[in-house]
Amino acid sequence: MAGYQSVNPNHEGDQHLIAAAHHILKLLGAIRNLSDDTRKLLADLDIHLSIMTGNTINNGGEAIEVEKRLKCAERMVLRWQANQSMIWDTGPGEVSEFLGAIDEVQTLIDSFSGVSVNENGRVRELLYRANNIVQVAMLRLQEELIHILVHHKLYFEPEYVSFHSCRADVIYDESFVSLEDESVEASQRVSNTGSVSGEYIVDLIHPQVVPDLKAIANAMIAANYDQEFCAAFIGARQDALNEYFFVILELEKFSIDDVLKMKWSTLSSEIKKWNWAMKIIIRVYLASEKQLCNKILGGFDTVCSLCFVEIAKATFLCLLNFGEAVAMGSTQPEKLFCLLDMYEVLDDLLLEIDSLLFEEAGSYIRIEFHELLRKLGHSARQAFQELQKAIAADSSMKPLPRGGIHPLTRYVMNYIKTLTIYDDTLNLLFEDQNTEDTHSIVESETEQDISPITFCPLACHLRSITSALECSLVVKSRLYREDSLRHIFLMNNIHYVVQKIKGSDLRIFFGDEWIRKHIGKFQQHATSYQRATWCSVLSFLRDDGHCSNSVLKTSYKERCREFTNAFEDVYKIQIQWCITDPQLKEDLRISTSLKVIHAYRTFIGRNRISDKHIKYTVDDLEKLLLDFFEGTWRTLRNSRRR
Amino acid sequence: MPATDYQGSFLGRISIRRNQVMSMEGNHEQELEDLELFQKHVADRFAELAPPSPSQPSDDIPSDPILSIAWIRKLLDVFLCCDAEFKAILIMGRDPSQISKPPLDRLIPEMLDRDVKALDICNAITNGIEAVRHYQKLAEIAVSALEQRPFGDGQVKRARKALTSLITAMACEDKDGANYTRTWSFGRRGAAAAGNNKSTGQLRSLSWSVSKNWSAAKQIHAMSANLVAPRGTEASGLALPVYIMSTILLFVMWTMVATIPCQERSGLATHFPVPKQLVWAQSIIGLHEKIAEEWKKKEKKGSAGLLEEMQKLDKLGQSLIEFTDSFQFPAEDERAEEVSAHLAELGETCRRMEEGLVPLQVQIREVFHRIVRSRAEFLDVLDLNGKSSALAM
């Protein structure tokens, strides 16, 4: 239609041409079996030709034709003014009639554009009237638009399963300390690799009405009512998004002040919600919103990207600000997993965010998300360092009773075991840091069959954590008054560390050499224990063979009694001590048994000590040794006295 | 941008400071000089923001009217400059242990708490600017409709509708405690359609810009509650710059809350807890009095927000509505001329908003990040102190 405008029939030749065209049109119009569309097209052309020749509209039959058509369209539009029902609810016939009327008026307006209205009072009057019809029709279209948007919106109901399972696990919070060896990681990764992945475009508006919305958009934009269209469209879609956010997903907005003051348990559950919401809102909802904008506003690129950014902006900023608040907060080690989860979720979504906010309008939000990722990484590194500090700073003044496994050991080992799930991310985060100092911990491992993982930044950091733990354990062991218990404690704890590493993915990070060395360490403590406890006890049974027979006889009896007393003393104390690992306990008992029983049997056999002087038979002793390290408070007399 | 102009001066001073690290304790005189300079810079910068007095009209460059978008952007620049200089004085080249000594051990955490509140205000304001952008769009519809030639009933109706929405939106925004809601549901059917949806009402109350029950007025109150001017010997020590910077932060946030729509600002305090005799604060106090007066007027009249451009939209919008009410076809020439002058002004206001609002939003984000960074730097220093004192034990 724009083509008509440039023609200005000044020359006589043009006039002739137009007259000829008129003639052809008349002939064509006489053909009987024309479709309605074609007939309308011909009529349009006729009017254009009339207007182009300038003055014919004043007096010719065409002016009457234009007025007639305008009147017809006006009737069509005004008919709905008094009608309470919505056009799009009434039926497709009414819709196309209404849109047809708008199109008609628009065509007439466009065709006037070449005419100087000041000179032509009749045209001016028609134009006023046409504009008025457009105004009424556009107002109506806006109402229809909102009606359709409100009544045909759809919501994608997310799967709550993954979230709830994720919500139920307590691995992040304080109870971590007491957590033993449950399948910590199994439940945890569900949230990361969960159901929402890949392309997930859903219908946010019933697909049936999308063509209607597109028709309204086309009509409004063609009439230069794009601003009104945008206001209504953005408003309605923003409300839909708000409803989704607050009502369907049951999310809440928090001020930064709120987040910083939040209790850890609340914060950790809000962080999980954020991770979940990020994936659903960005990957599914907003991607679908963008698609919807494209479907309705395809072809109007500027309007389309503007609408999308305006709809999504507040939600993007809300998600962003929660992340900012978390990254601003303190970095206690417990937070590391949450921070890593957030980091991974955001890292995973960054490409999608980039493509959603590709255009200039949203670029600053896009940059902010990149910046947030950097901040989360920084916080995660800090939380990791806090762990090391926390290990060093853990200074309980009381020794752990019974020499068992210290809660710190459990905590640290479970903690770093969980860390290996995040190995890629952590390696990435540690890569830009200077790790040279931690390399030395690997020591002289130059064998060729060592996995490269053993030398990755995370492996170095993990080894430095366990060595901080070892130092801390040595300090703690000094709190025991008995040397034996000190060794039991260290043996227990180092054994626990080794078992944890051997039985998990940690194994490749630490390497076989490290494991061999540490097996040696706890075995050394076992040997030291035996020496510390049993050397003095067994010294009573030692044969020195220098004394005379009679002296020896009493002395043997005496030594046997003294041995029995010493054994009982050891028994009373050491049955209370604790070796939690059954295998380790068994091993230590056997080697102790070998030593003690052998010495006792030899002593009794060689010195022929009569039964009345012997409190415990060899068998008794063997049985008694089975009570060791059970962590019980049993008294000797009740159970074992014969 | 003035931000960069000031940069040179204090960066130079920072490098000097670095060389002085060792002799810090003994360099009390240098410190006094620095504080003196800081106060002078603060006074100078805010003096530049003051509206020109009528006695000496500035003839060469027309300055940006107070509370206009351009003026607020200058105010934020001043804030960024002062903050940079403040940190140069308090952190750089200083023995961190000085910060953990009384009275700073109490004043700095208080300041950090104020920082957090300021961050939320920044977010609320960012959201409020969205509302202002919406007003701008409505005004633009009116301008483009009334600028059309030939100009008849259709355009007048279109403009009238946009202007009515504009005036209602601006009034509503203030009445509803600035819980910004878009007035997109034009007309009876649209409104009915939205009303039919039962969650819509509930939604309005849920779409808080910051969080439920958050109130800008309360945050401002909390920020000023423990702000007390240092007295006695403290008045010449490091407590002073902390006080100055906190006052600036409070003033900047208060001004933004008073100017730009944001969540729950009714009951915004108009009292400014700064002793009048402080030399560096003269300009700030002057500005504060002026804005507080405007705010009181606004509260009494219930007129639109204090933002200069919004006031313009309100005034011109009202007058154009009057015109559209009395409009009869064809328009008289005399009347048309008067309208076209108003229209031109409205168009110019829209243009200024179009140019200024998004950059203002970006700048508020810059302020946001600056506050986050400054807070982190102070926390680092405090953390460092915590460790060194632990080692000492």
Side-chain angles (χ1 to χ4, degrees):
Chain A
M1 232 143 275
Y4 299 125
Q5 294 168 18
S6 56
V7 185
N8 210 346
N10 288 329
H11 307 293
E12 211 176 306
D14 291 341
Q15 299 278 357
H16 282 302
L17 200 70
I18 289 166
H22 251 299
H23 188 66
I24 295 169
L25 278 179
K26 283 225 168 71
L27 287 176
L28 284 172
I31 300 169
R32 280 179 173 211
N33 53 353
L34 279 181
S35 73
D36 285 351
D37 282 355
T38 320
R39 210 171 279 284
K40 186 173 171 293
L41 199 71
L42 291 177
D44 280 350
L45 265 175
D46 198 26
I47 290 165
H48 282 296
L49 289 171
S50 303
I51 293 164
M52 281 160 76
T53 50
N55 48 5
T56 44
I57 207 160
N58 271 330
N59 29 36
E62 288 85 354
I64 298 161
E65 171 69 17
V66 169
E67 204 168 343
K68 215 175 84 189
R69 286 174 59 190
L70 200 58
K71 216 174 222 164
C72 181
E74 193 173 36
R75 235 195 342 269
M76 206 88 84
V77 170
L78 294 183
R79 186 157 69 89
W80 286 99
Q81 254 199 326
N83 198 331
Q84 283 297 322
S85 48
M86 304 307 287
I87 304 171
W88 263 265
D89 285 351
T90 316
E94 280 79 359
V95 168
S96 64
E97 231 176 54
F98 191 77
L99 286 176
I102 295 173
D103 197 36
E104 178 98 348
V105 178
Q106 206 57 52
T107 312
L108 292 171
I109 291 177
D110 285 344
S111 58
F112 289 137
S113 59
V115 184
S116 158
V117 285
N118 290 330
E119 287 162 29
N120 198 324
R122 188 76 180 277
V123 170
R124 182 161 59 183
E125 203 175 308
L126 287 175
L127 200 52
Y128 287 153
R129 227 166 117 184
N131 274 327
N132 203 12
I133 302 170
V134 171
Q135 152 67 17
V136 174
M138 288 301 140
L139 189 65
R140 183 63 194 226
L141 279 188
Q142 203 178 23
E143 287 170 5
E144 299 279 340
L145 170 69
I146 290 165
H147 179 81
I148 297 173
L149 287 172
V150 169
H151 288 269
H152 295 275
K153 65 181 174 209
L154 297 174
Y155 288 123
F156 143 73
E157 295 268 352
E159 277 178 51
Y160 282 94
V161 194
S162 62
F163 177 57
H164 282 311
S165 74
C166 157
R167 201 185 214 173
D169 76 59
V170 284
I171 144 146
Y172 300 144
D173 42 29
E174 298 87 306
S175 57
F176 192 90
V177 179
S178 59
L179 210 67
E180 177 61 45
D181 305 73
E182 284 78 44
S183 56
V184 152
E185 56 269 40
S187 63
Q188 186 194 326
R189 294 294 277 196
V190 179
S191 58
N192 279 357
T193 54
S195 55
V196 197
S197 62
E199 276 259 317
Y200 272 83
I201 301 295
V202 294
D203 288 319
L204 297 178
I205 289 279
H206 203 288
Q208 242 179 337
V209 301
V210 169
D212 299 334
L213 293 171
K214 191 166 175 51
I216 293 176
N218 287 341
M220 289 185 80
I221 293 171
N224 281 322
Y225 275 68
D226 48 340
Q227 284 159 308
E228 276 96 339
F229 175 86
C230 290
F233 184 71
I234 293 168
R237 293 308 302 158
Q238 263 184 344
D239 276 7
L241 178 52
N242 272 341
E243 187 178 347
Y244 190 65
F245 190 92
F246 291 112
V247 180
I248 312 275
L249 299 188
E250 294 173 47
L251 296 170
E252 233 180 295
K253 271 192 186 178
F254 295 104
S255 69
I256 292 175
D257 209 12
D258 289 341
V259 175
L260 290 178
K261 284 178 182 155
M262 233 174 231
K263 273 202 300 188
W264 168 239
S265 56
T266 320
L267 180 62
S268 117
S269 106
E270 288 304 327
I271 287 175
K272 278 169 212 154
K273 266 195 212 166
W274 184 87
N275 289 334
W276 173 75
M278 280 285 283
K279 278 180 277 189
I280 288 169
I281 290 178
I282 289 172
R283 185 164 282 155
V284 186
Y285 190 98
L286 289 179
S288 306
E289 186 77 52
K290 179 113 181 178
Q291 181 113 322
L292 180 68
C293 288
N294 286 336
K295 272 187 195 156
I296 295 171
L297 292 164
F300 309 104
D301 291 348
T302 333
V303 182
C304 183
S305 67
L306 177 109
C307 280
F308 174 74
V309 172
E310 292 296 317
I311 291 165
K313 201 184 206 175
T315 304
F316 269 128
L317 284 176
C318 171
L319 292 169
L320 187 69
N321 277 325
F322 182 81
E324 291 276 355
V326 173
M328 269 175 70
S330 61
T331 47
Q332 64 265 51
E334 286 85 2
K335 227 164 123 182
L336 179 59
F337 301 107
C338 282
L339 289 167
L340 288 172
D341 281 339
M342 286 176 84
Y343 184 94
E344 289 189 345
V345 165
L346 183 55
D347 192 37
D348 197 31
L349 288 169
L350 221 45
L351 275 180
E352 272 132 310
I353 292 172
D354 282 349
S355 75
L356 287 176
L357 298 170
F358 179 69
E359 288 91 356
E360 181 61 30
S363 63
Y364 95 91
I365 301 177
R366 193 181 72 219
I367 295 164
E368 293 256 331
F369 272 105
H370 284 264
E371 190 57 17
L372 176 61
L373 185 74
R374 195 190 57 76
K375 284 186 188 171
L376 287 172
H378 178 73
S379 294
R381 269 198 302 266
Q382 273 193 322
F384 191 91
Q385 283 151 10
E386 286 299 321
L387 174 69
Q388 230 154 339
K389 285 187 213 160
I391 295 170
D394 183 88
S395 54
S396 37
M397 293 315 281
K398 271 194 213 152
L400 185 79
R402 298 184 282 162
I405 289 149
H406 200 278
L408 182 72
T409 314
R410 282 186 209 279
Y411 175 78
V412 170
M413 292 318 290
N414 281 321
Y415 190 100
I416 65 170
K417 195 175 144 197
T418 316
L419 277 184
T420 58
I421 312 164
Y422 300 91
D423 54 345
D424 289 343
T425 304
L426 281 167
N427 275 325
L428 202 75
L429 288 177
F430 290 136
E431 224 151 58
D432 22 309
Q433 283 202 315
N434 186 8
T435 48
E436 272 170 49
D437 47 341
T438 45
H439 265 295
S440 56
I441 295 164
V442 191
E443 281 148 24
S444 59
E445 292 183 88
T446 43
E447 293 146 73
Q448 270 148 13
D449 56 342
I450 295 170
S451 158
I453 297 174
T454 316
F455 298 102
C456 71
L458 174 60
C460 300
H461 279 89
L462 291 178
R463 282 189 295 266
S464 77
I465 287 211
T466 49
S467 74
L469 175 65
E470 275 180 67
C471 290
S472 174
L473 288 171
V474 168
V475 172
K476 288 178 194 344
S477 74
R478 295 198 187 115
L479 296 169
Y480 293 109
R481 271 183 296 127
E482 301 110 314
D483 269 1
S484 306
L485 187 52
R486 199 159 66 81
H487 289 300
I488 291 289
F489 172 76
L490 286 173
M491 177 195 73
N492 267 332
N493 283 277
I494 296 170
H495 177 265
Y496 180 86
V497 170
V498 171
Q499 285 308 107
K500 264 302 209 236
I501 289 169
K502 268 172 74 181
S504 70
D505 290 344
L506 284 171
R507 184 184 194 114
I508 29 175
F509 289 94
F510 281 81
D512 291 340
E513 179 60 33
W514 189 96
I515 293 171
R516 258 197 303 280
K517 243 184 79 186
H518 283 77
I519 290 177
K521 272 194 188 177
F522 77 73
Q523 282 173 342
Q524 184 56 49
H525 283 297
T527 315
S528 303
Y529 152 77
Q530 283 179 334
R531 196 174 299 135
T533 298
W534 297 105
C535 264
S536 58
V537 178
L538 294 181
S539 66
F540 294 111
L541 306 179
R542 210 179 295 130
D543 246 342
D544 35 25
H546 286 294
C547 309
S548 66
N549 246 2
S550 60
V551 178
L552 268 177
K553 268 252 159 95
T554 48
S555 164
Y556 283 141
K557 275 186 273 174
E558 181 59 19
R559 276 161 68 186
C560 185
R561 202 178 53 79
E562 270 177 308
F563 166 78
T564 307
N565 287 342
F567 181 86
E568 282 182 350
D569 286 343
V570 170
Y571 179 91
K572 267 182 268 170
I573 292 166
Q574 297 202 359
I575 56 163
Q576 294 168 26
W577 295 358
C578 187
I579 300 176
T580 29
D581 186 83
Q583 190 60 50
L584 183 65
K585 184 158 58 185
E586 185 72 9
D587 288 351
L588 191 64
R589 274 187 198 145
I590 288 173
S591 67
T592 308
S593 208
L594 278 177
K595 249 191 191 149
V596 177
I597 301 300
H598 174 76
Y600 191 55
R601 182 181 284 130
T602 316
F603 178 80
I604 290 169
R606 186 183 300 151
N607 302 309
R608 277 173 249 104
I609 296 168
S610 68
D611 279 0
K612 65 177 180 182
H613 297 298
I614 298 173
K615 192 169 175 185
Y616 301 117
T617 64
V618 172
D619 282 354
D620 286 339
L621 215 55
E622 226 167 341
K623 274 186 196 136
L624 285 175
L625 277 170
L626 287 179
D627 293 337
F628 275 64
F629 313 121
E630 287 291 350
T632 50
W633 298 93
R634 182 189 296 138
T635 56
L636 198 60
R637 263 151 264 289
N638 296 343
S639 59
R640 289 291 168 190
R641 196 97 198 246
R642 85 169 142 153
Chain B
M1 217 188 270
T4 44
D5 294 345
Y6 291 115
Q7 217 100 38
S9 60
F10 77 76
L11 277 183
R13 283 165 5 85
I14 292 163
S15 59
I16 297 168
R17 283 202 153 281
R18 287 236 168 86
N19 302 329
Q20 291 169 344
V21 176
M22 289 310 163
S23 55
M24 209 52 227
E25 283 289 349
N27 216 333
H28 192 59
E29 234 159 79
Q30 175 68 39
E31 187 173 293
L32 284 178
E33 200 177 300
D34 281 353
L35 286 180
E36 204 69 45
L37 220 57
F38 181 49
Q39 291 177 62
K40 187 180 164 346
H41 288 156
V42 168
D44 289 351
R45 283 169 194 152
F46 278 93
E48 275 173 42
L49 288 171
S53 59
S55 58
Q56 43 174 119
S58 56
D59 20 41
D60 24 38
I61 329 148
S63 63
D64 296 303
I66 183 167
L67 299 182
S68 65
I69 295 169
W71 184 86
I72 295 173
R73 295 192 57 196
K74 275 190 189 160
L75 175 69
L76 295 181
D77 276 341
V78 166
F79 170 80
L80 291 173
C81 289
C82 292
D83 181 69
E85 191 173 344
F86 168 67
K87 272 192 293 181
I89 288 180
L90 216 64
I91 298 184
M92 294 213 215
R94 182 170 297 283
D95 177 2
S97 67
Q98 279 182 288
I99 284 180
S100 55
K101 280 183 198 154
L104 290 191
D105 61 335
R106 174 178 54 85
L107 294 176
I108 298 231
E110 276 175 11
M111 179 183 74
L112 298 184
D113 198 44
R114 257 176 240 126
D115 280 348
V116 173
K117 293 187 165 57
L119 292 178
D120 282 324
I121 290 175
C122 284
N123 281 337
I125 296 292
T126 305
N127 201 69
I129 293 176
E130 287 301 315
V132 181
R133 285 184 64 220
H134 180 60
Y135 307 150
Q136 175 207 332
K137 296 267 152 60
L138 290 170
E140 275 169 358
I141 294 177
V143 171
S144 70
L146 294 177
E147 268 175 353
Q148 247 179 59
R149 291 292 174 273
F151 156 90
D153 221 18
Q155 283 90 343
V156 169
K157 277 188 200 152
R158 186 183 182 190
R160 193 185 191 292
K161 202 172 110 45
L163 290 171
T164 320
S165 303
L166 168 68
I167 301 296
T168 337
M170 289 205 290
C172 271
E173 174 275 310
D174 265 13
K175 229 172 277 152
D176 296 354
N179 184 22
Y180 150 56
T181 49
R182 242 170 221 275
T183 43
W184 53 268
S185 34
F186 304 92
R188 63 205 146 90
R189 290 187 198 83
N196 285 343
N197 193 313
K198 61 172 179 228
S199 59
T200 308
Q202 183 191 356
L203 255 174
R204 287 278 141 81
S205 62
L206 281 172
S207 54
W208 308 103
S209 67
V210 182
S211 71
K212 205 173 149 191
N213 300 330
W214 189 89
S215 149
K218 278 187 203 149
Q219 298 299 305
I220 292 287
H221 180 77
M223 281 174 79
S224 61
N226 50 10
L227 188 61
V228 184
R231 267 177 244 174
T233 49
E234 281 183 12
S236 60
L238 288 176
L240 183 63
V242 174
Y243 175 70
I244 293 177
M245 201 55 222
S246 293
T247 307
I248 293 173
L249 182 74
L250 173 66
F251 174 70
V252 169
M253 293 301 146
W254 176 84
T255 303
M256 287 209 290
V257 169
T259 315
I260 297 163
C262 75
Q263 188 178 326
E264 209 39 69
R265 50 181 181 161
S266 53
L268 180 66
T270 48
H271 168 70
F272 197 52
V274 178
K276 290 220 162 53
Q277 72 275 12
L278 294 171
V279 181
W280 58 268
Q282 288 312 305
S283 295
I284 300 180
I285 292 171
L287 284 168
H288 184 274
E289 273 169 6
K290 198 168 160 46
I291 300 167
E293 217 168 276
E294 294 290 321
W295 174 259
K296 280 181 206 150
K297 255 191 260 168
K298 177 196 130 63
E299 287 237 297
K300 211 180 283 169
K301 274 199 302 185
S303 58
L306 290 191
L307 187 69
E308 207 253 351
E309 282 79 1
M310 274 176 70
Q311 304 244 20
K312 273 256 164 67
L313 291 193
D314 194 42
K315 199 185 88 203
L316 297 169
Q318 304 270 19
S319 112
L320 286 172
I321 286 180
E322 236 168 75
F323 161 74
T324 55
D325 279 343
S326 61
F327 176 78
Q328 267 181 349
F329 183 77
E332 319 131 46
D333 285 353
E334 213 177 291
R335 197 71 209 274
E337 232 166 78
E338 181 200 320
V339 167
S340 74
H342 279 173
L343 199 58
E345 204 179 341
L346 189 62
E348 170 61 20
T349 309
C350 285
R351 195 189 55 74
R352 279 211 308 272
M353 293 172 92
E354 176 68 31
E355 275 174 6
L357 283 176
V358 173
L360 176 61
Q361 250 175 343
V362 172
Q363 203 181 0
I364 289 176
R365 206 63 196 165
E366 194 187 333
V367 167
F368 178 95
H369 287 304
R370 172 68 76 81
I371 296 175
V372 170
R373 217 168 36 242
S374 298
R375 186 177 167 277
E377 282 168 38
F378 275 106
L379 283 175
D380 278 351
V381 175
L382 290 179
D383 191 39
L384 222 66
N385 281 335
K387 225 173 302 149
S388 54
S389 60
L391 281 178
M393 279 162 59

